Amino acid sequence: MLFLRRQLLRTLSFACGSSVILGRNQLGVAAQTATQPKVSPPPAGAAVRDGIAGGTEMEKVTGIGGFFFRAKDPKALGLWYQQHLGISLTPSNEGDPVWEQEAGPTVFAPFPETSKYFGDAQKVWMVNFRVRDLDKMAAQLQAAGIEIKMYPPDPTGRFARVHDPEGNPIELWQPKVPDTKG
C-alpha cells in the first residue's frame, strides 16, 4: 500500500509541478507557490464565513486534489469514467496528462447517514461534476446506453443523475449562468 501511495504522489508531483520528498516515516510536499497579495481586513461578522479566527487568517485547502474510492473492478470503472465523462486517470508516466478541473464553485456537504438523497442506503458518497452543457452530456450518455434522470431547473442551475457501473450515484450540474444584462 505504501508503494502505491508513493508511486501516485511521485506521478502527481511530476504532473502538478511540485516536489515530493518521501522519507521512511514522513511525507513532505514542497509546492511552488506564488506570493499572496495583501488584502484589506474583512468586514465585521466575516470571520466564520471567510475562515478567519482571532484576527488571524485561517489556512484553508485550495481545492480537491484527488478523489479516491474502492471499486470491485478499478480498471474497468476507471475506464468507464474516462470514456463517458472525460476524466483522465492517474498518470502512469511523467509525461502523461493529469485531469485538470475548470475553476468553479464546489459544494462540500456531509449528509445525515439516514439521507435518501444518494438512493441506495449502502452508498456513502456521491460526486457532483460540473458540466458546460447538460443536454449535450445527457445525449452523449444516452447514446452510450447509460440511463440518466434529468431534474427540473432550480435557482442554482440544472441537474441530472446517473450511476456508474458499480451503482455509485453521480450528479451532473450545469450551474446557472448569472444574468449579465442590465
Side-chain angles (χ1 to χ4, degrees):
M1 180 61 136
L2 182 58
F3 173 76
L4 291 175
R5 270 192 235 150
R6 285 181 181 187
Q7 183 180 14
L8 175 63
L9 289 170
R10 281 187 186 125
T11 303
L12 288 174
S13 71
F14 287 123
C16 299
S18 61
S19 303
V20 177
I21 305 160
L22 297 168
R24 185 177 189 103
N25 293 319
Q26 65 183 27
L27 166 67
V29 178
Q32 298 170 351
T33 59
T35 304
Q36 295 296 318
K38 301 268 186 217
V39 293
S40 304
V48 173
R49 183 191 73 226
D50 296 335
I52 300 172
T56 306
E57 187 169 344
M58 180 179 116
E59 185 64 26
K60 299 181 282 187
V61 298
T62 59
I64 297 173
F67 181 68
F68 309 98
F69 58 101
R70 292 183 174 103
K72 292 175 188 141
D73 188 345
K75 281 188 174 186
L77 194 58
L79 187 58
W80 184 90
Y81 277 86
Q82 189 172 29
Q83 289 177 335
H84 299 292
L85 299 178
I87 298 172
S88 299
L89 301 177
T90 304
S92 55
N93 296 304
E94 184 175 335
D96 291 348
V98 66
W99 177 49
E100 292 195 29
Q101 303 176 63
E102 293 179 8
T106 302
V107 175
F108 185 85
F111 278 68
E113 66 182 340
T114 57
S115 173
K116 296 184 186 325
Y117 189 64
F118 301 174
D120 181 350
Q122 299 300 308
K123 301 301 179 187
V124 296
W125 63 269
M126 178 175 66
V127 65
N128 171 298
F129 291 118
R130 288 184 309 270
V131 298
R132 279 188 224 110
D133 186 332
L134 186 57
D135 293 325
K136 191 173 181 180
M137 177 64 78
Q140 172 182 300
L141 293 168
Q142 288 170 334
I146 298 167
E147 186 177 330
I148 184 166
K149 181 176 181 181
M150 303 290 284
Y151 292 96
D154 75 19
T156 65
R158 298 178 57 219
F159 293 87
R161 177 79 56 94
V162 298
H163 291 84
D164 71 19
E166 294 192 7
N168 298 307
I170 301 166
E171 193 168 64
L172 302 173
W173 173 40
Q174 179 181 331
K176 184 175 181 177
V177 178
D179 187 10
T180 57
K181 296 177 188 175

